[in-house]
Coordinates of all heavy atoms in Angstrom, one line a residue:
P160 N 2.4 18.3 -5.8 CA 3.2 17.3 -5.0 C 3.1 15.9 -5.7 O 4.0 15.1 -5.4 CB 2.5 17.3 -3.7 CG 1.1 17.7 -3.9 CD 1.2 18.7 -5.0
D161 N 2.1 15.6 -6.5 CA 2.0 14.3 -7.1 C 1.7 14.5 -8.6 O 1.2 15.5 -9.1 CB 0.8 13.5 -6.5 CG 1.0 13.3 -5.0 OD1 2.1 12.8 -4.6 OD2 0.2 13.7 -4.2
T162 N 2.0 13.4 -9.3 CA 1.8 13.5 -10.8 C 0.3 13.2 -11.0 O -0.5 12.8 -10.1 CB 2.5 12.3 -11.5 OG1 2.1 11.1 -11.0 CG2 4.0 12.5 -11.3
S163 N -0.2 13.5 -12.2 CA -1.6 13.3 -12.6 C -1.9 11.8 -12.4 O -3.0 11.5 -11.9 CB -1.8 13.7 -14.0 OG -1.5 15.1 -14.2
R164 N -1.0 11.0 -12.8 CA -1.3 9.5 -12.7 C -1.6 9.1 -11.3 O -2.5 8.3 -11.0 CB -0.1 8.7 -13.3 CG -0.4 7.2 -13.4 CD 0.9 6.5 -13.7 NE 1.6 6.9 -15.0 CZ 1.4 6.3 -16.1 NH1 0.7 5.2 -16.2 NH2 2.1 6.8 -17.2
Q165 N -0.7 9.6 -10.3 CA -0.9 9.2 -8.9 C -2.2 9.8 -8.4 O -2.9 9.2 -7.6 CB 0.3 9.7 -8.1 CG 0.2 9.4 -6.6 CD 0.2 7.9 -6.4 OE1 1.2 7.2 -6.7 NE2 -0.9 7.4 -5.9
Q166 N -2.5 11.1 -8.7 CA -3.8 11.7 -8.2 C -5.0 10.9 -8.7 O -6.0 10.7 -8.0 CB -3.8 13.2 -8.7 CG -2.8 14.1 -8.1 CD -2.9 15.5 -8.6 OE1 -4.0 16.1 -8.4 NE2 -1.9 16.0 -9.2
L167 N -4.9 10.5 -10.0 CA -6.1 9.8 -10.6 C -6.2 8.4 -10.0 O -7.3 7.9 -9.8 CB -5.9 9.7 -12.1 CG -6.2 11.1 -12.8 CD1 -5.7 11.0 -14.3 CD2 -7.6 11.5 -12.7
R168 N -5.0 7.8 -9.7 CA -5.0 6.4 -9.1 C -5.7 6.5 -7.7 O -6.5 5.7 -7.3 CB -3.6 5.9 -9.0 CG -3.5 4.5 -8.4 CD -2.0 4.1 -8.3 NE -1.4 4.1 -9.6 CZ -0.1 4.2 -9.8 NH1 0.7 4.5 -8.8 NH2 0.4 4.2 -11.0
D169 N -5.3 7.6 -6.9 CA -6.0 7.8 -5.6 C -7.5 8.0 -5.8 O -8.3 7.4 -5.0 CB -5.4 9.0 -4.9 CG -3.9 8.8 -4.5 OD1 -3.5 7.6 -4.4 OD2 -3.2 9.8 -4.3
A170 N -7.9 8.8 -6.7 CA -9.3 9.1 -6.9 C -10.1 7.8 -7.3 O -11.2 7.6 -6.8 CB -9.5 10.2 -8.0
V171 N -9.5 7.0 -8.2 CA -10.2 5.8 -8.6 C -10.3 4.8 -7.4 O -11.4 4.2 -7.2 CB -9.5 5.2 -9.8 CG1 -10.1 3.8 -10.1 CG2 -9.6 6.1 -11.0
R172 N -9.3 4.7 -6.7 CA -9.3 3.8 -5.5 C -10.3 4.2 -4.5 O -11.1 3.4 -3.9 CB -7.9 3.6 -4.9 CG -7.0 2.9 -5.8 CD -5.9 2.2 -5.0 NE -5.0 1.5 -5.9 CZ -5.3 0.3 -6.4 NH1 -6.4 -0.3 -6.0 NH2 -4.5 -0.4 -7.2
Q173 N -10.4 5.5 -4.2 CA -11.4 6.0 -3.2 C -12.8 5.9 -3.8 O -13.7 5.7 -3.0 CB -11.0 7.4 -2.8 CG -9.7 7.5 -2.0 CD -9.2 8.9 -1.8 OE1 -10.1 9.8 -1.7 NE2 -7.9 9.1 -1.7
A174 N -13.0 6.0 -5.1 CA -14.3 5.8 -5.6 C -14.7 4.4 -5.6 O -15.9 4.1 -5.4 CB -14.3 6.4 -7.0
L175 N -13.8 3.5 -5.7 CA -14.1 2.0 -5.7 C -14.3 1.5 -4.2 O -15.0 0.5 -4.1 CB -13.0 1.3 -6.3 CG -13.1 -0.3 -6.4 CD1 -14.3 -0.7 -7.2 CD2 -11.8 -0.8 -7.1
A176 N -13.8 2.2 -3.2 CA -13.8 1.6 -1.9 C -15.3 1.4 -1.4 O -16.1 2.4 -1.3 CB -13.1 2.6 -0.9
G177 N -15.7 0.2 -1.2 CA -17.0 -0.1 -0.7 C -18.1 0.1 -1.6 O -19.3 0.0 -1.3
A178 N -17.8 0.4 -2.9 CA -18.9 0.7 -3.9 C -19.7 -0.5 -4.1 O -19.2 -1.7 -4.2 CB -18.3 1.2 -5.2
A179 N -21.1 -0.3 -4.2 CA -22.0 -1.5 -4.3 C -22.3 -1.8 -5.8 O -22.8 -2.9 -6.1 CB -23.3 -1.2 -3.6
S180 N -22.0 -0.9 -6.7 CA -22.3 -1.1 -8.1 C -21.4 -0.3 -9.0 O -20.7 0.7 -8.5 CB -23.8 -0.7 -8.4 OG -24.0 0.7 -8.2
E181 N -21.4 -0.6 -10.2 CA -20.6 0.1 -11.2 C -21.1 1.5 -11.4 O -20.3 2.4 -11.5 CB -20.7 -0.7 -12.6 CG -19.8 -0.1 -13.6 CD -19.9 -0.9 -14.9 OE1 -20.0 -2.2 -14.8 OE2 -19.8 -0.3 -16.0
A182 N -22.4 1.7 -11.3 CA -23.0 3.0 -11.4 C -22.6 3.9 -10.3 O -22.3 5.1 -10.5 CB -24.6 2.9 -11.5
E183 N -22.5 3.3 -9.1 CA -22.1 4.1 -7.9 C -20.6 4.5 -8.1 O -20.2 5.6 -7.7 CB -22.3 3.3 -6.6 CG -21.9 4.1 -5.4 CD -22.1 3.3 -4.1 OE1 -22.8 2.3 -4.2 OE2 -21.5 3.7 -3.1
F184 N -19.8 3.5 -8.6 CA -18.4 3.8 -8.8 C -18.2 5.0 -9.7 O -17.4 6.0 -9.4 CB -17.7 2.6 -9.3 CG -16.4 2.8 -9.9 CD1 -15.3 3.2 -9.2 CD2 -16.2 2.6 -11.3 CE1 -14.0 3.4 -9.7 CE2 -14.9 2.8 -11.9 CZ -13.8 3.2 -11.1
F185 N -18.9 5.0 -10.8 CA -18.7 6.1 -11.8 C -19.3 7.4 -11.2 O -18.7 8.5 -11.5 CB -19.3 5.8 -13.1 CG -18.5 4.9 -14.0 CD1 -19.0 3.6 -14.4 CD2 -17.2 5.2 -14.4 CE1 -18.3 2.8 -15.1 CE2 -16.5 4.3 -15.1 CZ -17.0 3.1 -15.5
A186 N -20.4 7.3 -10.5 CA -21.0 8.5 -9.9 C -20.0 9.1 -8.9 O -19.9 10.4 -8.8 CB -22.3 8.1 -9.2
R187 N -19.4 8.3 -8.1 CA -18.4 8.9 -7.1 C -17.3 9.6 -7.8 O -16.8 10.6 -7.4 CB -17.8 7.7 -6.3 CG -18.8 7.2 -5.2 CD -18.0 6.3 -4.3 NE -18.8 5.4 -3.5 CZ -18.3 4.4 -2.7 NH1 -17.0 4.3 -2.7 NH2 -19.0 3.7 -2.0
L188 N -16.8 9.0 -8.9 CA -15.7 9.6 -9.7 C -16.1 11.0 -10.2 O -15.3 12.0 -10.0 CB -15.3 8.7 -10.9 CG -14.2 7.6 -10.6 CD1 -14.0 6.9 -11.9 CD2 -12.9 8.2 -10.1
E189 N -17.3 11.1 -10.7 CA -17.7 12.4 -11.2 C -18.0 13.4 -10.1 O -17.7 14.6 -10.3 CB -19.0 12.2 -12.1 CG -18.8 11.4 -13.3 CD -20.0 10.9 -14.0 OE1 -21.1 11.1 -13.4 OE2 -20.0 10.4 -15.1
T190 N -18.4 12.9 -9.0 CA -18.6 13.8 -7.8 C -17.3 14.3 -7.3 O -17.2 15.4 -6.8 CB -19.4 13.0 -6.7 OG1 -20.6 12.6 -7.2 CG2 -19.6 13.9 -5.5
A191 N -16.3 13.5 -7.5 CA -14.9 13.9 -7.0 C -14.3 14.9 -7.9 O -13.2 15.4 -7.7 CB -14.0 12.7 -6.9
G192 N -14.9 15.3 -9.0 CA -14.4 16.3 -9.9 C -13.4 15.7 -11.0 O -12.7 16.5 -11.6
V193 N -13.5 14.4 -11.2 CA -12.6 13.8 -12.2 C -13.4 13.6 -13.5 O -14.6 13.3 -13.5 CB -12.2 12.4 -11.7 CG1 -11.4 11.6 -12.7 CG2 -11.3 12.5 -10.4
L194 N -12.7 13.9 -14.6 CA -13.3 13.7 -15.9 C -13.4 12.2 -16.2 O -12.4 11.5 -16.1 CB -12.6 14.4 -17.0 CG -12.5 16.0 -16.9 CD1 -11.6 16.5 -18.0 CD2 -13.9 16.6 -16.9
V195 N -14.5 11.7 -16.6 CA -14.7 10.3 -16.9 C -15.1 10.1 -18.4 O -16.1 10.7 -18.8 CB -15.7 9.6 -16.0 CG1 -15.8 8.2 -16.3 CG2 -15.3 9.9 -14.5
N196 N -14.4 9.3 -19.1 CA -14.7 9.0 -20.5 C -15.0 7.5 -20.6 O -14.1 6.7 -20.4 CB -13.5 9.4 -21.4 CG -13.9 9.1 -22.9 OD1 -15.0 9.1 -23.3 ND2 -12.8 8.7 -23.6
R197 N -16.2 7.2 -20.8 CA -16.6 5.8 -20.9 C -16.6 5.3 -22.4 O -17.2 6.0 -23.2 CB -18.0 5.5 -20.3 CG -17.9 5.6 -18.8 CD -19.2 5.0 -18.2 NE -19.9 6.1 -17.5 CZ -21.0 5.9 -16.8 NH1 -21.5 4.6 -16.6 NH2 -21.6 6.8 -16.2
K198 N -16.0 4.2 -22.6 CA -16.1 3.6 -24.0 C -17.3 2.8 -24.1 O -17.4 1.8 -23.4 CB -14.8 2.8 -24.3 CG -14.8 2.2 -25.7 CD -13.5 1.4 -25.9 CE -13.5 0.8 -27.3 NZ -12.2 -0.1 -27.4
V199 N -18.3 3.2 -24.9 CA -19.6 2.5 -25.0 C -19.6 1.7 -26.4 O -19.3 2.3 -27.4 CB -20.7 3.5 -24.9 CG1 -22.0 2.8 -25.0 CG2 -20.6 4.3 -23.6
G200 N -20.0 0.5 -26.3 CA -20.2 -0.4 -27.5 C -21.5 -0.1 -28.2 O -22.4 0.6 -27.7
P201 N -21.7 -0.8 -29.3 CA -23.0 -0.6 -30.1 C -24.2 -1.0 -29.3 O -25.3 -0.4 -29.5 CB -22.8 -1.5 -31.3 CG -21.3 -1.6 -31.4 CD -20.7 -1.6 -30.1
S202 N -24.0 -1.9 -28.3 CA -25.1 -2.4 -27.5 C -25.5 -1.4 -26.4 O -26.5 -1.5 -25.8 CB -24.8 -3.7 -26.9 OG -23.7 -3.6 -26.0
G203 N -24.6 -0.4 -26.2 CA -24.8 0.6 -25.2 C -24.1 0.2 -23.9 O -24.2 1.0 -22.9
D204 N -23.5 -0.9 -23.9 CA -22.7 -1.4 -22.7 C -21.4 -0.6 -22.6 O -20.8 -0.3 -23.6 CB -22.5 -2.9 -22.7 CG -23.8 -3.7 -22.6 OD1 -24.7 -3.2 -22.1 OD2 -23.8 -4.8 -23.2
T205 N -21.0 -0.4 -21.4 CA -19.7 0.2 -21.2 C -18.6 -0.8 -21.3 O -18.6 -1.9 -20.6 CB -19.6 0.9 -19.8 OG1 -20.6 1.8 -19.6 CG2 -18.2 1.5 -19.5
L206 N -17.7 -0.6 -22.2 CA -16.6 -1.5 -22.5 C -15.3 -1.2 -21.8 O -14.4 -2.0 -21.6 CB -16.3 -1.6 -24.0 CG -17.5 -1.9 -24.9 CD1 -17.1 -1.9 -26.4 CD2 -18.2 -3.2 -24.5
G207 N -15.1 0.0 -21.4 CA -13.9 0.5 -20.7 C -14.1 1.9 -20.3 O -15.1 2.5 -20.5
Y208 N -13.1 2.4 -19.6 CA -13.2 3.8 -19.1 C -11.8 4.4 -19.1 O -10.8 3.7 -19.0 CB -13.8 3.9 -17.8 CG -12.9 3.5 -16.6 CD1 -12.3 4.5 -15.9 CD2 -12.6 2.1 -16.3 CE1 -11.4 4.1 -14.8 CE2 -11.7 1.8 -15.3 CZ -11.1 2.8 -14.6 OH -10.3 2.4 -13.6
S209 N -11.7 5.7 -19.1 CA -10.5 6.4 -18.8 C -10.8 7.7 -18.0 O -12.0 8.1 -18.0 CB -9.8 6.8 -20.1 OG -10.6 7.6 -21.0
V210 N -9.9 8.2 -17.3 CA -10.1 9.4 -16.4 C -9.0 10.4 -16.7 O -7.9 10.1 -17.2 CB -10.1 9.0 -15.0 CG1 -11.3 8.1 -14.6 CG2 -8.8 8.2 -14.6
A211 N -9.4 11.7 -16.4 CA -8.4 12.8 -16.5 C -8.7 13.8 -15.5 O -9.8 13.9 -15.0 CB -8.5 13.4 -17.9
L212 N -7.7 14.6 -15.1 CA -7.9 15.7 -14.2 C -8.4 16.9 -14.9 O -8.1 17.2 -16.0 CB -6.5 16.1 -13.5 CG -5.9 15.1 -12.6 CD1 -4.6 15.6 -12.1 CD2 -6.8 14.7 -11.5
V213 N -9.3 17.6 -14.3 CA -9.9 18.8 -14.8 C -8.7 19.9 -15.0 O -8.0 20.1 -14.0 CB -11.0 19.4 -13.9 CG1 -11.4 20.8 -14.4 CG2 -12.1 18.5 -13.8
G214 N -8.6 20.4 -16.2 CA -7.6 21.4 -16.4 C -6.3 20.9 -16.9 O -5.4 21.6 -17.3
E215 N -6.1 19.5 -16.8 CA -4.9 18.9 -17.3 C -5.0 18.7 -18.8 O -5.8 18.0 -19.3 CB -4.6 17.6 -16.6 CG -3.3 16.9 -16.9 CD -2.1 17.5 -16.2 OE1 -2.4 18.3 -15.2 OE2 -1.0 17.2 -16.5
R216 N -4.1 19.4 -19.6 CA -4.2 19.3 -21.1 C -2.9 18.9 -21.7 O -1.8 19.2 -21.1 CB -4.6 20.7 -21.6 CG -5.9 21.2 -21.1 CD -7.1 20.5 -21.7 NE -8.4 20.9 -21.1 CZ -9.6 20.6 -21.5 NH1 -9.7 19.8 -22.6 NH2 -10.7 21.0 -20.9
D217 N -3.0 18.2 -22.9 CA -1.7 17.9 -23.6 C -1.4 19.1 -24.5 O -2.0 20.1 -24.5 CB -1.9 16.6 -24.3 CG -3.0 16.6 -25.4 OD1 -3.5 17.7 -25.7 OD2 -3.4 15.5 -25.8
S218 N -0.4 18.8 -25.4 CA 0.1 19.9 -26.3 C -1.0 20.3 -27.3 O -1.0 21.4 -27.9 CB 1.3 19.4 -27.1 OG 1.0 18.2 -27.8
T219 N -2.0 19.5 -27.6 CA -3.1 19.8 -28.5 C -4.3 20.4 -27.8 O -5.3 20.7 -28.5 CB -3.5 18.6 -29.3 OG1 -4.1 17.6 -28.4 CG2 -2.3 17.9 -30.0
G220 N -4.2 20.6 -26.5 CA -5.3 21.1 -25.7 C -6.3 20.1 -25.3 O -7.4 20.5 -24.7
E221 N -6.1 18.9 -25.5 CA -7.0 17.8 -25.1 C -6.7 17.3 -23.7 O -5.6 17.4 -23.3 CB -7.0 16.6 -26.1 CG -7.5 17.0 -27.5 CD -8.9 17.4 -27.5 OE1 -9.7 16.7 -26.8 OE2 -9.3 18.3 -28.2
P222 N -7.7 16.8 -23.0 CA -7.5 16.2 -21.7 C -6.5 15.1 -21.7 O -6.4 14.4 -22.7 CB -8.9 15.7 -21.2 CG -9.8 16.6 -22.0 CD -9.2 16.8 -23.3
V223 N -5.7 14.9 -20.7 CA -4.7 13.8 -20.6 C -5.4 12.6 -20.0 O -5.6 12.6 -18.8 CB -3.4 14.2 -19.9 CG1 -2.4 13.1 -19.8 CG2 -2.8 15.5 -20.5
W224 N -5.8 11.7 -20.8 CA -6.6 10.5 -20.3 C -5.7 9.4 -19.9 O -4.7 9.1 -20.5 CB -7.5 10.0 -21.4 CG -8.6 11.0 -21.8 CD1 -8.5 11.8 -22.9 CD2 -9.8 11.4 -21.1 NE1 -9.6 12.6 -23.0 CE2 -10.4 12.4 -21.9 CE3 -10.3 11.0 -19.9 CZ2 -11.6 13.0 -21.5 CZ3 -11.5 11.5 -19.5 CH2 -12.2 12.5 -20.3
F225 N -6.1 8.7 -18.8 CA -5.4 7.5 -18.3 C -6.5 6.4 -18.3 O -7.5 6.5 -17.5 CB -4.8 7.7 -17.0 CG -3.6 8.6 -17.0 CD1 -3.8 10.0 -16.9 CD2 -2.3 8.0 -17.0 CE1 -2.6 10.8 -16.9 CE2 -1.2 8.8 -17.0 CZ -1.4 10.2 -17.0
G226 N -6.3 5.3 -19.0 CA -7.1 4.1 -18.8 C -6.9 3.4 -17.5 O -5.8 3.6 -16.9
G227 N -7.8 2.6 -17.1 CA -7.6 1.9 -15.8 C -6.3 1.1 -15.8 O -5.6 1.1 -14.7
Y228 N -5.9 0.4 -16.8 CA -4.7 -0.4 -16.8 C -3.4 0.5 -16.6 O -2.4 0.1 -16.0 CB -4.5 -1.2 -18.0 CG -3.3 -2.1 -18.0 CD1 -3.3 -3.2 -17.2 CD2 -2.2 -1.8 -18.7 CE1 -2.3 -4.1 -17.1 CE2 -1.1 -2.7 -18.6 CZ -1.1 -3.8 -17.8 OH 0.0 -4.6 -17.7
K229 N -3.5 1.8 -17.1 CA -2.3 2.6 -17.0 C -2.2 3.1 -15.5 O -1.1 3.6 -15.1 CB -2.5 3.9 -17.9 CG -2.2 3.5 -19.4 CD -2.3 4.8 -20.2 CE -2.0 4.5 -21.6 NZ -2.0 5.8 -22.5
L230 N -3.3 3.0 -14.8 CA -3.2 3.4 -13.4 C -2.7 2.2 -12.5 O -1.8 2.4 -11.7 CB -4.6 3.8 -12.9 CG -5.2 5.0 -13.6 CD1 -6.6 5.4 -13.1 CD2 -4.3 6.3 -13.4
A231 N -3.3 1.0 -12.7 CA -2.9 -0.2 -11.9 C -3.5 -1.4 -12.6 O -4.6 -1.3 -13.1 CB -3.3 -0.1 -10.5
P232 N -2.9 -2.5 -12.5 CA -3.5 -3.7 -13.1 C -4.8 -4.1 -12.6 O -5.6 -4.7 -13.4 CB -2.4 -4.8 -12.8 CG -1.2 -4.1 -12.6 CD -1.6 -2.8 -11.9
D233 N -5.2 -3.8 -11.4 CA -6.5 -4.2 -10.8 C -7.5 -3.1 -11.0 O -8.6 -3.2 -10.4 CB -6.4 -4.5 -9.3 CG -5.8 -3.4 -8.5 OD1 -5.1 -2.6 -9.1 OD2 -6.1 -3.4 -7.3
L234 N -7.2 -2.0 -11.7 CA -8.2 -1.0 -11.9 C -8.8 -0.9 -13.3 O -9.4 0.0 -13.7 CB -7.6 0.4 -11.6 CG -7.2 0.6 -10.1 CD1 -6.6 2.0 -9.9 CD2 -8.3 0.3 -9.2
T235 N -8.6 -2.0 -14.1 CA -9.3 -2.2 -15.4 C -10.8 -2.4 -15.1 O -11.1 -2.9 -14.0 CB -8.7 -3.3 -16.2 OG1 -8.9 -4.5 -15.5 CG2 -7.2 -3.1 -16.5
L236 N -11.6 -2.1 -16.0 CA -13.0 -2.3 -15.8 C -13.4 -3.8 -15.5 O -14.2 -4.0 -14.7 CB -13.9 -1.7 -17.0 CG -15.4 -1.7 -16.8 CD1 -15.7 -0.9 -15.5 CD2 -16.1 -1.1 -18.0
P237 N -12.8 -4.8 -16.3 CA -13.2 -6.2 -15.9 C -12.8 -6.5 -14.5 O -13.5 -7.2 -13.8 CB -12.3 -6.9 -17.0 CG -12.2 -6.0 -18.1 CD -12.0 -4.7 -17.5
K238 N -11.6 -6.0 -14.0 CA -11.2 -6.3 -12.7 C -12.1 -5.7 -11.6 O -12.4 -6.2 -10.6 CB -9.7 -5.9 -12.4 CG -8.7 -6.7 -13.3 CD -8.6 -8.1 -12.7 CE -7.5 -8.9 -13.5 NZ -6.2 -8.3 -13.4
I239 N -12.5 -4.4 -11.9 CA -13.4 -3.7 -11.0 C -14.8 -4.4 -11.0 O -15.3 -4.6 -9.9 CB -13.6 -2.3 -11.5 CG1 -12.3 -1.5 -11.2 CG2 -14.8 -1.6 -10.8 CD1 -12.3 -0.1 -11.7
R240 N -15.3 -4.9 -12.1 CA -16.5 -5.6 -12.2 C -16.4 -6.9 -11.4 O -17.4 -7.3 -10.7 CB -16.9 -5.9 -13.6 CG -17.5 -4.7 -14.3 CD -17.7 -4.9 -15.8 NE -18.5 -3.8 -16.4 CZ -18.5 -3.6 -17.7 NH1 -17.9 -4.4 -18.6 NH2 -19.3 -2.6 -18.2

Side-chain angles (χ1 to χ4, degrees):
D161 300 305
T162 63
S163 299
R164 189 191 299 263
Q165 182 62 67
Q166 293 180 61
L167 290 167
R168 185 182 296 155
D169 292 339
V171 172
R172 291 203 175 282
Q173 290 172 30
L175 180 59
S180 66
E181 185 177 326
E183 182 181 345
F184 163 67
F185 282 120
R187 287 191 196 175
L188 273 179
E189 292 168 353
T190 301
V193 174
L194 298 178
V195 181
N196 179 31
R197 289 192 244 187
K198 182 180 179 182
V199 180
S202 64
D204 295 333
T205 301
L206 304 180
Y208 79 99
S209 56
V210 289
L212 293 179
V213 174
E215 185 79 11
R216 302 283 175 174
D217 61 17
S218 58
T219 65
E221 294 296 319
V223 181
W224 297 101
F225 288 84
Y228 184 74
K229 287 186 177 181
L230 299 177
D233 58 334
L234 294 183
T235 63
L236 189 57
K238 293 288 181 66
I239 289 175
R240 282 173 171 164

